[in-house]
Amino acid sequence: MTETGQRYREFKMPDVGEGLTEAEILKWFVSVGDTVTDGQVVCEVETAKAAVELPIPFDGVVHEVRFPEGETVDVGTAIITVDTTPGAASAGPASPEVLEATDAVASEPTASAPSSPESVPAEPAAAEGEAPKRQAVLVGYGVAQSSTKRRPRKQGGTGVPTQAAAAVQGELNGHAAPAAPAPEAPAPAGPASAAPAPAAAPAEGLARPLAKPPVRKLAKDLGVDLATVVPTGPNNTVTREDVHAAAAPEQAAPETVRPAEPAPAAGAASAVASASTVGGDVSRETRIPVKGVRKATAQAMVASAFTAPHVTEFVTFDITRTMRLVQELKIDPGFAGLRVSPLLLVAKALLVAVKRNPEVNAAWDEANQEIVHKGYVNLGIAAATPRGLIVPNIKDAQAKTLPELAAALGELVGTAREGKTTPAAMQGGTITITNVGVFGVDAGTPILNPGESAILAFGAVKDQPWVHKGKVKVRQVTTLALSFDHRLIDGELGSKFLADIAAVLEYPKRLMTWS
């Protein structure tokens, strides 16, 4: 957060997590001209860990929104400017609706733009009683001190920028302006010049076409080269309508007659053929940028898979008694208002098994080459969201009663579905549960959440023939799969841990006898 002239204050993209470097703007809740107050949420951003709402720390009126929705912004970059004294005289930065390239002539002549017949002298001041007009300039350079009107863009209806404009635009675009041509006598006006000719596209080598940032972004999204667009806006600026008009021929019906186009070069033709024959029909393919939570998940899974030596074990057992207990707890007054599901008892069974096998609750310290045993369980629950897979965790889950665990689990899942999980809720996990059974999947080999010792996959519960008390009966059967880090947990410990979880779920009375 910075100040500009003690009036315009900038709000910068904060680091909403630990060590995050960027965030994507998902949604703006304010626009230019809106009044904001200290603590008001102005936008929602997505980091590599979660979606977070950003409150602004001061009062004022929104002066400029610097990035559109969907833009990824580095931490520390100003994203919005607020006018903290909107009633004061205008003395701050230029309006946000500015042109990226301007033909405003500086108050002092430059060496690269010598005087020529095309140069336009300073215009007289505005007539008495006429309100002065603001002039659009580059952001951060303030209002130009020259005339309050734009000078003419063209002479004789040619639509070609004057030499002075080319000089200024050349400096803004980072290259020298072309040398001024020798003065030429103006051509006599003929009958054809009575009506102005349509504005031509900017000549090659001259300044870039004038357009506002949103228009440039639209042109980029539609694949339109602004240099080929015929401008119709004030002072030969390119408007949205101009861009859409330029893109319209590309979307015309097949029977529309088009001008003949030159045949592509041999290399281009082969590339097109390759795309259509080898790569498939690109018109039926959709590309989705990998960013935010999905990008972070992909990187974490690759790092985990190739860092921690995974071992996965399976156990299939009769879970009928636990499923009956779930139905009983749903009508128990002690669980009124709480969501009771088989996952709740699976989580409780895991916590009991950790208590019986505390060595499984550990982490690997690569820097010090140590195994760190933990006296607390931050139980992670893998949750699928529209933005990707996230794993928030229940802090100190081992100390919670069954109703407290049910409340924490319900809040965690609800928050994740709404996309409101905070980065802090996803840090510090020790062991995770992933419920693949809700998708009808029997089992799998889950990948460890980075930094954790184990992950338990809970499969689908199905009616199957099972030997019960010496007879084959239809029982509810499920499969658990446990993946663990073999640096921390050897085969014996992992097997005992998984067997204890299954034993509690097969005979849930062990929740009392083993606790």
Side-chain angles (χ1 to χ4, degrees), residues 4 9 36 65 130 139 143 157-158 170 192 198 202-203 288 341 355 401 420 439 448 515:
T4 305
R9 306 183 70 179
V36 294
V65 174
E130 182 180 352
V139 175
V143 179
T158 61
I288 301 175
S341 67
K355 185 177 181 180
T401 64
K420 303 299 183 182
F439 306 109
L448 292 171
S515 295

Side-chain angles (χ1 to χ4, degrees), residues 56 124 158 177 215 225 235 269 328 337 359 411 468:
I56 199 160
T158 61
V215 177
D225 184 1
N235 299 299
E328 294 173 3
E359 296 86 358
E411 181 181 0
H468 176 68

Side-chain angles (χ1 to χ4, degrees), residues 296-388:
T297 300
Q299 294 172 343
M301 292 298 98
V302 170
S304 177
F306 290 96
T307 301
H310 285 57
V311 174
T312 304
E313 293 185 344
F314 303 85
V315 60
T316 302
F317 62 96
D318 180 2
I319 197 175
T320 304
R321 294 181 180 88
T322 291
M323 298 303 291
R324 289 174 181 169
L325 178 58
V326 169
Q327 298 304 318
E328 294 173 3
L329 293 178
K330 286 183 177 180
I331 59 176
D332 191 302
F335 289 85
L338 300 176
R339 185 175 184 274
V340 179
S341 67
L343 180 61
L344 170 63
L345 294 183
V346 172
K348 189 63 176 178
L350 181 144
L351 294 171
V352 171
V354 168
K355 185 177 181 180
R356 289 171 56 85
N357 306 274
E359 296 86 358
V360 302
N361 192 39
W364 181 268
D365 187 342
E366 181 66 27
N368 297 315
Q369 291 294 296
E370 295 175 343
I371 294 176
V372 182
H373 287 132
K374 300 182 178 180
Y376 57 90
V377 180
N378 290 344
L379 181 60
I381 304 295
T385 71
R387 296 190 181 98

Side-chain angles (χ1 to χ4, degrees), residues 55-355:
I56 199 160
F58 40 79
D59 302 337
V61 174
V62 178
H63 180 70
E64 180 181 11
V65 174
R66 298 196 174 182
F67 295 95
E69 294 177 357
E71 189 83 7
T72 299
V73 183
D74 291 337
V75 169
T77 302
I79 59 175
I80 187 172
T81 303
V82 172
D83 184 354
T84 57
T85 55
S90 177
S95 168
E97 290 294 321
V98 297
L99 304 178
E100 285 192 0
T102 177
D103 66 343
V105 180
S107 57
E108 296 181 8
T110 60
S112 59
S115 59
S116 68
E118 292 184 353
S119 300
V120 179
E123 295 182 290
E128 184 178 356
E130 182 180 352
K133 299 180 180 179
R134 289 183 58 85
Q135 183 170 343
V137 297
L138 290 180
V139 175
Y141 284 86
V143 179
Q145 300 302 318
S146 58
S147 64
T148 58
K149 290 186 177 181
R150 284 185 176 271
R151 60 180 179 78
R153 280 280 299 160
K154 54 189 177 179
Q155 295 180 351
T158 61
V160 179
T162 63
Q163 182 63 25
V168 175
Q169 291 181 343
E171 291 183 2
L172 295 178
N173 293 333
H175 57 76
E184 296 180 1
S193 62
E204 184 178 0
L206 293 180
R208 61 195 300 200
L210 296 179
K212 295 180 180 179
V215 177
R216 292 188 181 278
K217 183 178 185 303
L218 175 64
K220 180 179 179 182
D221 294 342
L222 298 179
V224 175
D225 184 1
L226 285 177
T228 65
V229 178
V230 178
T232 62
N235 299 299
N236 274 4
T237 58
V238 178
T239 66
R240 287 180 174 272
E241 291 72 18
D242 298 337
V243 175
H244 284 299
E250 300 297 329
Q251 304 170 357
E255 61 271 11
T256 302
V257 179
R258 287 188 174 184
E261 297 181 357
S270 61
V272 173
S274 175
S276 59
T277 58
V278 179
D281 186 357
V282 295
S283 64
R284 292 185 291 175
E285 297 176 355
T286 302
R287 294 180 177 267
I288 301 175
V290 180
K291 53 186 177 180
V293 174
R294 290 188 184 275
K295 182 177 180 180
T297 300
Q299 294 172 343
M301 292 298 98
V302 170
S304 177
F306 290 96
T307 301
H310 285 57
V311 174
T312 304
E313 293 185 344
F314 303 85
V315 60
T316 302
F317 62 96
D318 180 2
I319 197 175
T320 304
R321 294 181 180 88
T322 291
M323 298 303 291
R324 289 174 181 169
L325 178 58
V326 169
Q327 298 304 318
E328 294 173 3
L329 293 178
K330 286 183 177 180
I331 59 176
D332 191 302
F335 289 85
L338 300 176
R339 185 175 184 274
V340 179
S341 67
L343 180 61
L344 170 63
L345 294 183
V346 172
K348 189 63 176 178
L350 181 144
L351 294 171
V352 171
V354 168
K355 185 177 181 180

